[in-house]
Amino acid sequence: MKPTSAGRRPVSPDAETVTASGVGRELRRLRKAAGETQAETARIIGVTRANLTQWETGKYLPSTHNARQLDDHFRAANALFTLVETARSPQEHTPPAVGDAGVVDTSRSLLQVFHTVGAKLAERLIRDEHGKPLGWRQNLQKKTPPTVLSTAYGISTMQLVGDTYLDLHPLVENLHSRRSEFGWRGRPEGRWPETTAAVVDALFRVGTTLSADDGLRLLEHSLDPFSNTRPYLLATTLQTAVRLRPDAPLTDRLIDDLLATRLEFDGLRLWPEKNEAGLVAPEPSVAHTARAIVVLRDVLRNRDDRNDVREAADEATQWLVDHTHPDDGVAEDLEKPRPDGDGTARIIIRHFTSAWVVQALATAPLLPLPRLNRALGTLWERYDADQGLWAWGSGDLPIWQTLDAVTALRSAALAVAAPPLSPPGTSGTTP
């Protein structure tokens, strides 16, 4: 069996796990066997060379549509398509959990949960009177129009759980049509870089005619001086930048800016909610520190020339392991001057803290299982089995929360064979 990384348990005790990296190696082998360059294959499939490069290096998986096209092009007799879909699906095996009374809980598997997520999101897709898909709402149970940001979140979630539930390409075309010179506006006032970062990330997950250079330019144009005071905005933008091009000047700039937002707390440099002049008694933030760790580990997976990044991630991870505060969600108030100078623009951002803690711990060099399991327990507390999605404490169903949960659970599934990956107390029947 092949371990997921040095010092960690294998993903499954029964079989070798198919990963995005494995898909990339096979795709590269097939392309070279066909005697084609990346540019030639990309042109035939109808994507950019940057897309193909990211598939071959394991950064993203091809969408179901593109996987089928690649399989047909290379005459792989469904083998490549099956490999992609296997890598996209989380592990089927989930061992039973034993409760306090010694009773075995036969929970549904993580794969079944993900199937439910895909089906439920497909049901909640908003369409016009002609049946054309328009996107998703930010809060899935409110009667509000779909937004660019929530649609990007929906596309990314469907890619993670397997996008066979619907055709994502009309949604991708819709996102392309709503692009402006500053990227994408997901909010009514001003430029908010997390919107452009989320859209660019979603487009590259599915396959896009947008080049990596264009994506980086849009990310850079979406930033403003306010962004440098907020670890959330910097980390979100950096996460997309490092996936597009880890050695780009913008990537280095964002790394430096993110590291600069740390403050010293009891001899440790950690991330607060914000770093701006005039702060009174700031405190380290679990959500922001965990999010920063996740993106810094992404940097380290792609390059080894930043010892300052490794030191920052290791120091923050140790604090996260030792920290005893609950990993519940928190809200952040973002308020900045309007571009026209007329007052301020204000939005409230919510963070699914436990999901980011799970991701941060799952990428640690030495996996801290007890702390990981505690964060997973908090994550599952927000799972609404009736809705098949994750819910905020108020009962809202924000689409971003399900994306964060699915991302975290996939990360945990790749890190360890048997954490509590199933929702406690659910039926053992397949949805």
Side-chain angles (χ1 to χ4, degrees):
M1 291 184 295
K2 180 181 178 181
T4 57
S5 62
R8 297 189 190 170
R9 301 181 187 181
V11 177
S12 168
D14 302 317
E16 182 176 343
T17 300
V18 179
T19 65
S21 295
V23 171
R25 287 193 298 272
E26 178 62 10
L27 176 56
R28 187 165 57 251
R29 185 191 70 78
L30 289 170
R31 176 179 60 78
K32 289 184 175 181
E36 293 177 357
T37 65
Q38 286 186 333
E40 289 170 338
T41 301
R43 178 180 53 79
I44 292 168
I45 301 302
V47 298
T48 66
R49 181 179 177 181
N51 274 127
L52 192 67
T53 298
Q54 288 163 341
W55 296 340
E56 289 192 359
T57 56
K59 289 183 181 178
Y60 293 112
L61 286 169
S63 69
T64 297
H65 172 76
N66 286 325
R68 177 62 70 191
Q69 285 189 303
L70 288 163
D71 191 283
D72 291 344
H73 171 62
F74 291 125
R75 299 182 180 180
N78 211 43
L80 180 61
F81 176 80
T82 301
L83 196 68
V84 171
E85 294 307 298
T86 301
R88 197 189 320 279
S89 299
Q91 62 189 50
E92 177 77 59
H93 170 73
T94 302
V98 180
D100 293 337
V103 178
V104 174
D105 170 30
T106 55
S107 302
R108 69 177 65 178
S109 75
L110 182 59
L111 180 59
Q112 292 167 340
V113 171
F114 278 23
H115 283 329
T116 301
V117 168
K120 294 295 185 181
L121 287 183
E123 290 174 5
R124 292 175 181 272
L125 180 67
I126 307 303
R127 300 176 182 271
D128 65 14
E129 63 273 16
H130 304 295
K132 179 181 177 181
L134 301 176
W136 285 275
R137 301 180 173 102
Q138 190 78 350
N139 186 342
L140 293 170
Q141 63 183 20
K142 287 190 175 180
K143 301 298 182 182
T144 55
T147 69
V148 167
L149 182 59
S150 53
T151 298
Y153 289 153
I155 290 172
S156 293
T157 307
M158 296 300 275
Q159 267 284 277
L160 286 169
V161 301
D163 61 355
T164 55
Y165 304 91
L166 52 87
D167 182 6
L168 297 177
H169 281 76
L171 294 171
V172 169
E173 292 172 2
N174 185 29
L175 288 183
H176 271 293
S177 70
R178 300 178 69 175
R179 169 182 163 183
S180 73
E181 60 178 319
F182 295 112
W184 284 265
R185 293 178 180 268
R187 307 186 187 281
E189 307 96 353
R191 285 181 282 167
W192 298 99
E194 86 280 7
T195 299
T196 294
V199 173
V200 171
D201 184 64
L203 292 177
F204 273 88
R205 285 179 187 271
V206 177
T208 176
T209 56
L210 192 72
S211 71
D213 287 339
D214 284 340
L216 288 167
R217 277 193 293 269
L218 290 169
L219 289 177
E220 188 165 17
H221 290 163
S222 72
L223 296 165
D224 59 16
F226 177 81
S227 305
N228 285 344
T229 70
R230 298 288 179 154
Y232 160 64
L233 298 178
L234 290 171
T236 302
T237 309
L238 174 57
Q239 190 160 40
T240 298
V242 75
R243 289 171 180 172
L244 294 180
R245 186 162 294 158
D247 58 350
L250 177 62
T251 303
D252 273 313
R253 171 189 146 192
L254 289 168
I255 292 170
D256 293 338
D257 290 344
L258 181 60
L259 293 177
T261 57
R262 291 176 297 169
L263 293 175
E264 187 167 326
F265 302 96
D266 297 326
L268 298 176
R269 294 182 63 79
L270 305 167
W271 282 270
E273 177 184 304
K274 56 187 176 182
N275 184 350
E276 58 189 19
L279 294 179
V280 178
E283 295 182 353
S285 165
V286 176
H288 294 79
T289 296
R291 189 185 285 268
I293 291 170
V294 171
V295 68
L296 293 181
R297 296 291 184 199
D298 280 350
V299 171
L300 293 171
R301 277 193 292 272
N302 288 278
R303 49 192 292 186
D304 58 4
D305 62 333
R306 295 291 303 251
N307 288 331
D308 55 342
V309 169
R310 180 172 290 100
E311 291 169 1
D314 289 347
E315 180 179 51
T317 299
Q318 189 58 53
W319 176 80
L320 209 58
V321 171
D322 297 337
H323 196 64
T324 57
H325 193 278
D327 298 323
D328 212 344
V330 295
E332 176 178 356
D333 188 344
L334 293 177
E335 185 174 6
K336 67 178 181 179
R338 295 178 186 270
D340 57 10
D342 184 17
T344 59
R346 183 185 182 192
I347 59 173
I348 304 297
I349 298 293
R350 292 174 172 178
H351 301 287
F352 193 12
T353 307
S354 59
W356 287 100
V357 171
V358 168
Q359 291 182 70
L361 298 178
T363 57
L366 296 175
L367 189 66
L369 272 176
R371 181 69 176 91
L372 175 65
N373 288 345
R374 181 155 60 87
L376 281 163
T378 305
L379 182 148
W380 280 118
E381 289 174 2
R382 294 298 182 197
Y383 179 65
D384 187 323
D386 293 332
Q387 300 289 344
L389 303 166
W390 274 261
W392 194 250
S394 61
D396 290 343
L397 284 174
I399 193 168
W400 57 264
Q401 190 167 22
T402 290
L403 170 59
D404 286 354
V406 167
T407 304
L409 290 169
R410 284 186 61 87
S411 182
L414 292 172
V416 63
L421 289 177
S422 293
T426 55
S427 166
T429 60
T430 302

